[in-house]
Every structure is written in structure tokens, then in C-alpha cells.
Amino acid sequence: MLHYHVSFASPWYLLLLLLLPVIWWFSYRKLSPLGPVRRWIVLAIRTTIILLIVLALAEIQMVRTSDRLTVIYLLDQSLSIPEAQRRAMIDYVNAATLKHREHEDRVGVIVFGRDAAIEIPPFNDDVQLAPVVESLLDPHYTNLAGALKLAKASFPEDAAKRVVLVSDGNENLGSVVQQAKTALAAGIGIDVMPIRYDTRSEVVLDRLAIPSDVRRGQTFDMKLVATNTSPKPVPGRLRIAQLRHGQSEVIAEQKVELPPGKKVYSLPRRIDAPDFYTYEARFIPDNPDDDLIPQNNRATAFTQVRGKGRVLLIEDCEHPGEFSHLAERLKSLGLEVTVQRTDQLFNSLAELLAFDTVILANVPRVTDEQTSFSDDQIAMLVRNTQEFGAGLVVLGGPNSFGTGGWVGTELEKAMPVDFQIKSAKVVPVGALALVIDRSGSMSGEKLEQCKAAAIAAVKTLGARDFVGVVTFDSAANWDVPMMRVDSGGKIIRRIQKIGSGGGTNMYPGMTFGHRGLRGVVAGAKHMIVLSDGQTEGQGYSALAAQIRKDNITISSVAIGPDADVTLMSHIAQSGGGKFYRVKNPKILPRIFMREARRVARPLIWDKHPVAPRIAFPHEILSGVNDPLPPIRGFVMTTKKDNPLVEVSLVSPEPSGQNNTVLASWTYGLGKAVAFTTDAGARWTTDWLSTDTYDRLFGQMVRWSMRPSGNSGKFTVAADIGSEKVRLVVTALDKDDEFLNFLNMAGSAVGPDLKPIPFAMEQVSPGRYVGEFPAIAAGSYFVVVSHGVPGLAPILSGINVPYSDEFRIRTPNDALLEQLVKMTPAGGKPGQLIDVAASADPSQPVAEDPLMKFNPFRHGELPKATSSQDIWYFVILVGSVLFFFDVFFRRVQLSFAWVPVWTGWARDRLLRRERTPEALPTMERLRSRKAEVSGQIDQRKAEARFEPTAVGPATDRTLEEPNRPIHEAPRPSTTTPMENKPEEESYTERLLKAKKKAWKKGSE
């Protein structure tokens, strides 16, 4: 039932009503000329207007009060509650709604785990839940506060509010008590139905403890804490594995029998190789029924072993051993070098964090159709330098920098040089023609992968290179005319619009591509022909040989299991290119990217040996004498326009800005070096037997390395909370004094390998605190830059264990009882819906004992009220009344017509014949007019007229009609007119009579 009343948001304005008597007194006197009736009408209207204005100023509201009740059930769907209890929750809600809900009451359901979701919004019907919860939830956490917050936002305003919390109370995210205080302040009642379950057999690995920073060769104890909640021993196997470089190695496994309670196992361990190590302990029970939750059978830990300096050298798998001499010389200088081929690349950032410098030694982005650097791997390389302070060195060669297909990648952004040539004096551009079969046999996935491959090739080329795309079916067409790649967006859009056609004739397509390449000026020209070879015509080998005479190379790609391999291979052989047999279209982008590198060959300067000269005395060149031994070639690049870039070595040829040999800069927290010639395989062979080789490359690598072994006096402590890690760093100088006002910043990498930057703030002398989210369990690698010159950044690892959802095995009765005892504003405390606590053991249990608890109780919570502003309606009515106020003051109305029309209506209803009668007012007016006229005539008859000396001619004519005008008037014997009182004119007397008649008519 709904009730309405009026309230005011600003009631103090109602005091203005005290001015009404004063307004009445002034208005009553001022309105006196209107007459008594009009005066009271205007006074009443004016009073009403003033009253409405005051009500509007007081912000009058219409308040609605409702007796309705809305109940929202909060159902805990976390994994700490057994599945049978979760199903029983649904049955309880369905039965309670059918039995207790009244007609106007609403019911809703919210399910929750880590987060909350509305399963059924509040609805005034006997809604029934499905047997299985439909909302997608993360059940690894329990967030009671989030569920209560969502319920508070979901309640309608026109009903009393109550939640029924069905849970075991084991929250591990948020604070439900704090959230309950805000809900109670809003008048929301809280009923609680605790979920109880028997203590079951469960084995929990609480913790695996390892020192976070271990010295090389040091023996340490690895300790594992395990808990058995069952009353009997649980047999099983305890396995400990070491994770390194993405590989898992079992280092210990033994048969154990866990006794009831806690047990600590200790395992001695020694590490000789510097690296980052992650250890995982796992318990495998012999009987699965002894341990129902496998998530808590695993514990991990992290440690770091420091060394002299670790270097990762990545070489091309197609040229293994090319940089073995460099690796041996670096090892002789005391560095630990790990050689990794491109077909065995790293798969996680954790693998890179173990190294202080990464060297890319003449490595192309795409090695072959099966091997290449993915975008994620390139991002890991750059992030390892930018955010974690490692070094990044790129060595030159025919497959490096721009010639290796690295143009436009994240690696180019991290280097001190651009991989494209910007000098107008040098024309080392290439031209690429893509001849693609778009016949009916190429429709579907084949054509889509061809377009993706063409787009990948365009992205691999430099901005000044040329590219064109020819498609053919029975005829050929330029989908992308030969143009520069700097219009990359336009080219890609055109490629994406390519569609399939009809027949197949490859000859016109190759002819179009030949003409397009012949018409541009480029240092290298290359054509890629892609087709299944099922084509019309002949003479393709001769055509390829003719094209080859114009210094244009041709590679062919035969796609599909039914491709004409013989024809396509002969085209590549005659065209001086490479033949590819492709059965999986998904590898086409890698092939096109590799072939696109052919047009970048002009970026290599190898005309004749030149001796590099020192352009800047960088510390990398300390002890290196000028002139240096000659080099036979290098890859041309362009120095970045950045003041941080330092070019140390340049070549005397070619002149301009593309002759950089050695450049370096600081990139983020790390350092990056570009050495555009190689390390002795082909271009620097004259350096191998000199001291310059060891000194230059040794100092280059050491300068770029992440400092190790000199991290200063920094201590790191981590506090792992719910979904967050709080990192505390204490900084001291060499005299053990606090280091203050450091510009600290941190970054973490979680198990998903995504960076998590976070800020560090100083909270006390020498102490800095930062927080970052850590939702997923696992190892987090953390680096903190402090800005102290000469000291390495702080590098650490933090292991986030599994959720407490799998650790706590008993209901939190204390928390649930605390929620029930809390009283909502204006209401009564809730009820504890607990059958076990309320049942009488001496009496048999009812068939459905939970049904005696009624969540739809009325009268215990404050009624819902809702208000609606109506002051604007009041202002509207006042404005209308103001018009009538003016109308009645300015316009005089006569109501004499009322009795006439009343009589006419009566006669019409009674069907009477009525003789028209004159209005009484008009009869009185005529009578008065006749009376006045008679009086005037009588006065004229009694008056005596005498001649006057001077007067109007009309008067003389009336008085003496027979006297000539020139004669003097006769003297008058009557009393002079000026001695008599002045008489009223006829018009004045007539007007006065009319007014008198009107007055009598109005009375």
C-alpha cells in the first residue's frame, strides 16, 4: 500500500508566511476602489500567489511511503563450499520464495565468488532459480563485501530492504564488516544463513621457504610446511621440481606419510650456476579421497643466484657457430656466455631476466618459414632492457638491422639508430612485386592468408622502398600500383579489398609485375609469385629467365596439396630466387617477410675496405687506438634525432648521416648498443688477431650489462595481501646512513608476462613503499630503479601463493554472528537462519525446518520513502493565478446576465413560452431619462428671457425674433444668469443616471 504526504527541503522559508497579515492590510486599503466583491476576490488570489511562492522557495516535495519489501539472497559460490551445499542453496531460495513472499514483495538473487553478479534482479514474482548458476564467476576467492555492495546498489527505492547472506563467512577479499556499516546506515537489514560442512580429509602445502638471494655455491635449506586436517595419516608422494628457462626438472621425490597436523620437511640444496630459479613442491596422495581439493597441494618459491655477469648470445640457426669466436673471447674475459639459436628461442621474460645482456648476432627477424621472432618475444627483449635494466646489443651482418626485416618493430625503437635510410644522397632502395593468384581455387582461407602475407611483407619494407601487388585470374590487374611504402596505410587498405575471381592465367600477372619493376629506380628488385600452378599457357621458365636478365629475381610459392610443384620450382630456378612448397597457408606471412628482405640488400655498404674513425671518446673505446683496423662492410642506418644517442665510431664512406658503425644510448633503465658491422665472420676479419677485438667487444658488453654484485645496501621486504603486494625498500649508504629523497620507481612481471608498473613513495627516513596488484598465484619478478649512480637496480622475486579459499576449512561463525547482531538504521537486527542452533534435540526434526524462518518479515525495517519535487508545478499555478489577479483588477464585470440566462435555461427545460421582457436596468434608465427630460423642459418654460447687449446671434433670435439685428437689444427684466448656480449639462445628467442604474443592477 502507498501513502502520500508533503514535506519541505528548505522549511525555513515558510516563515515568510508571517508577512501575510501585513500584505492583507496594505492590499485591503489599496484595493478599495474596486468595490467589496472584486476587492475580496483579488485579495484571495494575491494571498494564494504569495502562498505558492513561499511553498516553492521551501522546495515542496511529494513524499510516497510504501509497505513493500525487497529481499535479495546473496549466494556464496566459492570453492570452499562443497558442491552439494551450493545446490542446496538454490533449493532453499526457491522454496522460501514460494512460501513466504507476499503479493507486492520483490525477490532477487546475487551470486558471488571473487566478484559478484546478479543472477535474478529484484522482481515481484515467485521467480525460481535454475539448477545451475548461469553467471560466470571466479570461484577461487570469496568477496562478501563485493556482494553486499552490489546488493545495496540493486535495491529499488520504493520498498524496505533486506539481504539474506548464505555463506560460510570465509572472506579473503575486502571487508564485509565495513561494507555492512554503510548498508545498515541505509536501512538494509541482514539475515544470515551459515553454511556448515563436516571437516574432511585435506592436505595443504602451506609454504615452501627458500632464501630470496643465494650466493653462488652456497648450501641452503629448502623447507616445506604441510598440514593434514584428517585424523589419520595420509600416504603419498612429495615431489620438488626446479623451473629454469621454461624447463622443469625434478630434483627430489620421496614417499611420505603425512601425520595429522603440521609437518615441516627440509631439503638441503646447492646452486652453482647464477640464474633465477623457481621451485615447486607438490603432494600427490595415494588415495584421491584423502585430498579433495588439488589446488592447495602445490607451493612455489623463488630465489636468485648472482654471478660475475651473464650474457645471452642469440645466433641464426641457419648459420650455427658463426659467432663462436666472440663467445670464447667473452668467456676468457670472465663473462658467462650462453649461446641460443633462433630455433630454440626463449619463451618467457623470466628466462631473459637471468641475463645481464642480450646480444642479437646477425639475427634476422624471420629465419625460415617455420622459425621467427614473434611480436611477444620482441616485446620481451625490449622490456628486459627498458624496464629491468638489462643490456641489448645488436651486431651487424647481412641479416641484421634493416636487412634482417627489423624495420618498424619494437626492437628498432630500442636502438640508438633507425633501420631506414633517410639521406637523399643515397638511393639504397628496393622494389618488390607481389604476383598473387586470386582464381576460384584460391578462395577462402588461401586468399585470406595471401593477403595477410602481403601485408606482412609491406610492413617489413622500409619507407623508401617500392611495392606493388598484381592479382590475376584469367586476366591480370594492378590492385596496388608500384608505389613507395611510406603510403603504407593506403597500400594495406587496398590489399584487404582483394577478392577471388574465375580462371587461372599466370602469364599476364608475371608480365605486369615485370613491367612495374622495370619502371622504377631501385638497387634491388624482386618478384614473388604465389599460385597453385594450375594455370593456362606455357613458356613460364623462358619468361622468368627474360625477367632475370633485367636484374630482377623471382621466388615462387606453390600453395596447396594439388599445386604444380614442377612448374613453380622451374620459375624460381630460372628467376634466381627460392622455391617454397606450402601446405599450410598460415606460414605464408613468414615466407613473405623473409623474401621481402631481399630488397633491403642495398642497405649494405661493402664496396671496399675502410678504416672506422673515432667520432666520440666513449668509455666503450677506452684504450682503443685510432686508426682502427679496416672493415669490409657494414649495414647503413640513420642516427636517431635524440640527445641521448652517442655515436662513437663512423665510417669515412659514404659521407652523410648513414655511416654509423658504433652507437649507444640509455633506453629506460637499461642500455642499448648498435654495432653495424659484424664480429669477425666476414667484415672484421682483420680484427681477430689484434688487441682491439677483445678490448672493444669486452668493454661494449660490460658497459651495456645490468650491474651485478654492486647493488648497494638495499633491503627488500614484501607483504602479500589480498590481490596486492606491498613492497618495502630500506635504503642505506656506505656509512649506514639513510638515503632519502630517491626517485624510486618499480615494475613487476606476473605469471602472464605482462608488465605491472607501480610507484614508490618515501614514508619515513630511508624507507620507500609501493604496491602493485597480484591477482594470479605464481612468481612475480620485480625490479626497482633508485637513481643512485653506479649501483644496479634492485632485482627481486616474489612468490604469491594460492588463495586462502583452499586453506581455511571451517566456517567463520564469529563473522556471521557479528553481521546478524548489527542493527540497521530505524529497524531491528536480522535473524540467524541456523537449523542446527535452533532445533530441539529431543523433538523430531520437521520435514523442512528452514521454512519456519521468514525473510519476508514486515514491520522490522524502516518503510521505504521516495520524494518528488513539485515546486515547479507550484510556480506554474502561481503564474496562472497572477494573470487572474491582473484581470480582476483591470477589468470590470457585470453579472446582471446571470438571472436572465438562468430563467432562459429554466424555460427551455420546462418548455415554457416566455415573452421577452426588457431588463429592469434598461427600464429604470429610460424612466430616469424621461424624468430628466421633463425637468429640463419645465425649466425652459418657466424661464424669462430679456434682451442683452452682447450675446450670440442665436440667443437674440430666440429672444426677439422680430427685432432687426442692427437694433440694440432690449434690457432684460430677469435675474442675470451669472447670479444663478451653474446647472449640469444634459450629458452629465444622463451619465449620472446610467451609473446609478448600474449600481442598483449590481445590488
Side-chain angles (χ1 to χ4, degrees):
M1 182 179 296
L2 300 178
H3 307 279
Y4 295 90
H5 66 276
V6 174
S7 67
F8 301 94
S10 304
W12 290 106
Y13 281 100
L14 296 177
L15 296 176
L16 295 176
L17 295 177
L18 299 176
L19 299 176
L20 279 177
V22 179
I23 296 174
W24 288 338
W25 186 76
F26 281 104
S27 299
Y28 188 82
R29 297 183 57 188
K30 189 175 181 180
L31 298 175
S32 58
L34 299 180
V37 177
R38 291 171 61 199
R39 178 167 57 181
W40 283 107
I41 292 176
V42 173
L43 188 59
I45 294 175
R46 185 166 297 180
T47 301
T48 305
I49 292 174
I50 295 173
L51 176 63
L52 294 176
I53 292 175
V54 173
L55 294 180
L57 291 174
E59 297 182 53
I60 185 171
Q61 298 174 337
M62 182 64 69
V63 180
R64 182 176 63 180
T65 303
S66 174
D67 293 332
R68 295 173 179 171
L69 175 65
T70 298
V71 176
I72 296 182
Y73 290 90
L74 309 181
L75 306 184
D76 189 347
Q77 298 296 301
S78 62
L79 292 179
S80 63
I81 298 177
E83 184 178 357
Q85 271 81 355
R86 295 201 295 269
R87 289 197 301 266
M89 293 180 189
I90 297 176
D91 297 336
Y92 163 70
V93 172
N94 290 338
T97 301
L98 291 175
K99 182 174 182 179
H100 298 297
R101 192 191 72 85
E102 297 183 5
H103 178 66
E104 294 294 331
D105 292 340
R106 297 186 181 97
V107 61
V109 178
I110 290 177
V111 293
F112 65 93
R114 175 196 290 272
D115 45 13
I118 299 177
E119 187 75 3
I120 296 178
F123 192 66
N124 59 340
D125 197 359
D126 295 330
V127 295
Q128 296 291 288
L129 286 170
V132 179
V133 172
E134 298 178 354
S135 300
L136 298 178
L137 300 172
D138 181 1
H140 295 83
Y141 292 84
T142 301
N143 189 353
L144 300 177
L148 189 57
K149 183 178 181 180
L150 179 60
K152 180 184 175 184
S154 303
F155 276 111
E157 293 294 334
D158 60 346
K161 308 170 182 64
R162 176 179 286 121
V163 297
V164 179
L165 177 61
V166 186
S167 173
D168 59 359
N170 289 324
E171 68 170 345
N172 39 58
L173 289 179
S175 174
V176 68
V177 174
Q178 295 297 327
Q179 189 62 41
K181 292 179 180 179
T182 62
L184 294 169
I188 301 175
I190 301 177
D191 286 358
V192 175
M193 179 180 177
I195 298 298
R196 304 188 183 279
Y197 38 80
D198 298 331
T199 302
R200 298 166 297 169
S201 298
E202 191 64 43
V203 174
V204 179
L205 297 188
D206 297 295
R207 185 184 180 192
L208 181 63
I210 301 177
S212 60
D213 195 350
V214 179
R215 294 182 180 179
R216 181 178 180 181
Q218 173 187 356
T219 301
F220 61 92
D221 287 334
M222 184 183 304
K223 294 185 178 181
L224 176 65
V225 181
T227 301
N228 179 13
T229 62
S230 66
K232 62 178 182 179
V234 177
R237 287 176 297 146
L238 190 62
R239 177 184 297 169
I240 298 178
Q242 173 182 281
L243 281 72
R244 182 186 179 197
H245 303 306
Q247 304 294 325
S248 178
E249 177 187 359
V250 178
I251 61 175
E253 184 173 358
Q254 60 180 349
K255 184 77 175 178
V256 297
E257 190 175 72
L258 294 179
K262 289 188 179 294
K263 176 70 175 178
V264 178
Y265 294 91
S266 180
L267 176 67
R269 183 67 179 164
R270 176 179 174 177
I271 303 177
D272 295 324
D275 208 337
F276 289 90
Y277 294 88
T278 299
Y279 292 91
E280 178 186 77
R282 187 180 295 273
F283 177 75
I284 305 172
D286 293 341
N287 184 6
D289 293 336
D290 293 337
D291 188 38
L292 299 179
I293 300 180
Q295 286 88 345
N296 56 18
N297 291 0
R298 174 179 173 269
T300 59
F302 169 87
T303 190
Q304 176 188 9
V305 179
R306 297 185 180 273
K308 297 179 181 178
R310 305 199 63 207
V311 178
L312 175 63
L313 191 150
I314 301 177
E315 65 176 6
D316 189 354
C317 64
E318 294 184 349
H319 303 88
E322 182 179 358
F323 290 87
S324 58
H325 180 75
L326 174 63
E328 292 298 326
R329 299 312 303 160
L330 293 178
K331 290 178 181 178
S332 67
L333 296 175
L335 299 175
E336 297 182 5
V337 181
T338 300
V339 178
Q340 189 176 93
R341 298 190 309 180
T342 52
D343 57 352
Q344 299 174 349
L345 286 174
F346 53 90
N347 294 314
S348 68
L349 184 59
E351 299 178 45
L352 292 178
L353 290 174
F355 300 98
D356 299 309
T357 286
V358 178
I359 301 176
L360 296 182
N362 189 27
V363 176
R365 182 182 178 185
V366 178
T367 303
D368 54 34
E369 59 267 26
Q370 300 294 335
T371 305
S372 67
F373 281 83
S374 66
D375 292 339
D376 290 339
Q377 289 172 324
I378 298 175
M380 292 175 197
L381 279 172
V382 175
R383 192 181 308 150
N384 187 41
T385 298
Q386 185 178 19
E387 300 180 7
F388 292 92
L392 181 59
V393 178
V394 177
L395 301 181
N399 297 318
S400 186
F401 296 102
T403 62
W406 295 99
V407 175
T409 64
E410 292 294 320
L411 179 69
E412 183 180 18
K413 297 179 182 179
M415 286 290 102
V417 293
D418 289 327
F419 299 166
Q420 301 180 26
I421 300 301
K422 300 178 181 178
S423 174
K425 298 180 181 180
V426 183
V427 191
V429 296
L432 177 66
L434 305 177
V435 181
I436 300 175
D437 185 352
R438 70 180 189 97
S439 62
S441 61
M442 293 290 294
S443 61
E445 183 184 6
K446 290 182 182 180
L447 185 58
E448 293 300 320
Q449 292 297 335
C450 289
K451 293 192 290 185
I455 293 173
V458 171
K459 293 181 178 180
T460 303
L461 299 175
R464 300 188 63 200
D465 292 329
F466 291 92
V467 67
V469 180
V470 179
T471 59
F472 64 91
D473 44 20
S474 56
N477 179 60
W478 279 103
D479 288 271
V480 179
M482 194 65 66
M483 64 177 64
R484 290 193 184 273
V485 180
D486 53 8
S487 303
K490 180 180 179 181
I491 295 173
I492 292 174
R493 287 192 296 271
R494 290 191 175 187
I495 294 175
Q496 291 172 340
K497 294 179 180 179
I498 296 176
S500 60
T504 305
N505 190 349
M506 191 165 52
Y507 202 96
M510 294 180 61
T511 304
F512 272 43
H514 180 205
R515 293 174 182 173
L517 290 172
R518 194 171 53 185
V520 297
V521 178
K525 300 178 182 181
H526 186 59
M527 180 190 300
I528 304 175
V529 181
L530 188 147
S531 175
D532 57 8
Q534 304 295 331
T535 179
E536 303 173 1
Q538 55 185 352
Y540 288 100
S541 296
L543 176 61
Q546 181 182 354
I547 296 174
R548 184 70 182 91
K549 293 180 180 179
D550 291 332
N551 294 323
I552 300 174
T553 56
I554 304 175
S555 293
S556 63
V557 181
I559 184 171
D562 56 346
D564 190 341
V565 177
T566 303
L567 173 63
M568 300 300 291
S569 61
H570 286 169
I571 292 175
Q573 184 178 2
S574 301
K578 187 174 181 179
F579 167 69
Y580 298 89
R581 172 74 183 274
V582 176
K583 295 182 179 180
N584 184 3
K586 293 183 179 180
I587 67 173
L588 287 176
R590 295 182 180 180
I591 294 176
F592 274 43
M593 290 170 64
R594 183 180 184 184
E595 286 297 308
R597 287 164 39 200
R598 290 176 175 266
V599 304
R601 295 301 182 191
L603 293 175
I604 298 175
W605 195 94
D606 56 356
K607 296 181 179 180
H608 55 80
V610 292
R613 57 183 177 84
I614 298 177
F616 177 77
H618 197 277
E619 58 184 285
I620 295 177
L621 301 178
S622 178
V624 176
N625 297 323
D626 196 2
L628 280 74
I631 59 176
R632 290 179 169 79
F634 64 94
V635 182
M636 290 187 293
T637 58
T638 302
K639 170 184 173 295
K640 274 189 170 66
D641 187 12
N642 191 303
L644 296 178
V645 176
E646 296 174 332
V647 177
S648 306
L649 289 178
V650 295
S651 171
E653 298 181 35
S655 60
Q657 57 179 335
N658 309 121
N659 58 351
T660 300
V661 176
L662 175 62
S664 58
W665 72 336
T666 299
Y667 185 69
L669 300 180
K671 300 174 182 177
V673 178
F675 190 64
T676 58
T677 188
D678 65 359
R682 57 178 60 80
W683 292 337
T684 56
T685 54
D686 294 342
W687 292 28
L688 297 179
S689 59
T690 64
D691 294 338
T692 301
Y693 189 93
D694 290 354
R695 189 180 298 274
L696 176 64
F697 287 102
Q699 293 176 165
M700 181 191 304
V701 173
R702 289 189 182 278
W703 178 84
S704 66
M705 289 174 58
R706 179 194 296 119
S708 60
N710 186 22
S711 57
K713 295 183 178 181
F714 294 95
T715 58
V716 181
D719 181 17
I720 303 173
S722 59
E723 293 193 311
K724 283 188 177 182
V725 171
R726 185 171 181 265
L727 199 70
V728 181
V729 177
T730 302
L732 301 175
D733 61 11
K734 61 181 180 178
D735 299 324
D736 292 334
E737 297 290 337
F738 291 120
L739 287 174
N740 298 316
F741 311 112
L742 297 180
N743 186 20
M744 282 195 177
S747 181
V749 174
D752 57 357
L753 302 181
K754 294 182 178 179
I756 310 172
F758 61 94
M760 299 286 294
E761 296 182 359
Q762 185 172 1
V763 297
S764 62
R767 177 163 293 186
Y768 302 82
V769 177
E771 286 186 348
F772 62 89
I775 299 176
S779 297
Y780 287 76
F781 300 94
V782 180
V783 61
V784 179
S785 62
H786 44 66
V788 179
L791 297 183
I794 304 169
L795 193 64
S796 181
I798 298 171
N799 183 67
V800 177
Y802 52 81
S803 169
D804 288 340
E805 192 73 23
F806 312 109
R807 192 183 305 273
I808 303 174
R809 304 304 308 145
T810 58
N812 191 348
D813 292 335
L815 176 63
L816 297 178
E817 292 176 0
Q818 181 182 0
L819 294 176
V820 172
K821 294 178 181 179
M822 301 175 74
T823 304
K828 298 179 181 180
Q831 288 187 358
L832 185 67
I833 309 175
D834 190 354
V835 177
S838 60
D840 186 356
S842 62
Q843 301 294 331
V845 179
E847 181 180 355
D848 196 357
L850 288 176
M851 291 301 101
K852 69 179 182 179
F853 295 95
N854 182 15
F856 295 88
R857 304 182 304 276
H858 290 259
E860 295 185 3
L861 296 173
K863 295 182 179 180
T865 59
S866 60
S867 60
Q868 173 67 42
D869 290 333
I870 60 173
W871 59 266
Y872 36 83
F873 293 110
V874 172
I875 289 293
L876 178 61
V877 174
S879 302
V880 175
L881 290 179
F882 181 77
F883 168 77
F884 286 101
D885 175 81
V886 176
F887 179 81
F888 280 103
R889 286 190 291 108
R890 298 297 182 184
V891 179
Q892 183 176 354
L893 298 177
S894 174
F895 298 94
W897 53 270
V898 175
V900 176
W901 282 101
T902 302
W904 178 85
R906 180 191 61 203
D907 294 339
R908 292 288 294 179
L909 291 174
L910 298 178
R911 296 182 179 180
R912 294 178 180 177
E913 292 294 335
R914 182 178 177 86
T915 303
E917 296 180 0
L919 291 175
T921 302
M922 295 302 297
E923 288 297 327
R924 290 196 297 269
L925 184 59
R926 290 192 184 100
S927 176
R928 182 58 181 168
K929 181 178 180 181
E931 181 182 353
V932 172
S933 299
Q935 292 177 359
I936 294 175
D937 293 339
Q938 183 179 0
R939 288 184 181 182
K940 287 183 177 181
E942 295 176 353
R944 297 177 60 187
F945 295 95
E946 297 292 340
T948 56
V950 180
T954 55
D955 293 341
R956 294 196 303 268
T957 304
L958 290 175
E959 295 176 359
E960 301 180 75
N962 298 323
R963 182 180 62 84
I965 296 177
H966 62 273
E967 291 184 3
R970 300 175 183 175
S972 176
T973 58
T974 60
T975 305
M977 293 298 293
E978 58 271 14
N979 296 331
K980 295 183 180 181
E982 184 178 356
E983 295 183 358
E984 294 179 339
S985 66
Y986 172 79
T987 304
E988 291 175 347
R989 291 194 301 273
L990 181 60
L991 180 60
K992 185 180 295 185
K994 288 183 179 181
K995 289 182 178 180
K996 187 175 180 181
W998 287 341
K999 186 174 182 181
K1000 289 182 179 181
S1002 61
E1003 295 176 352

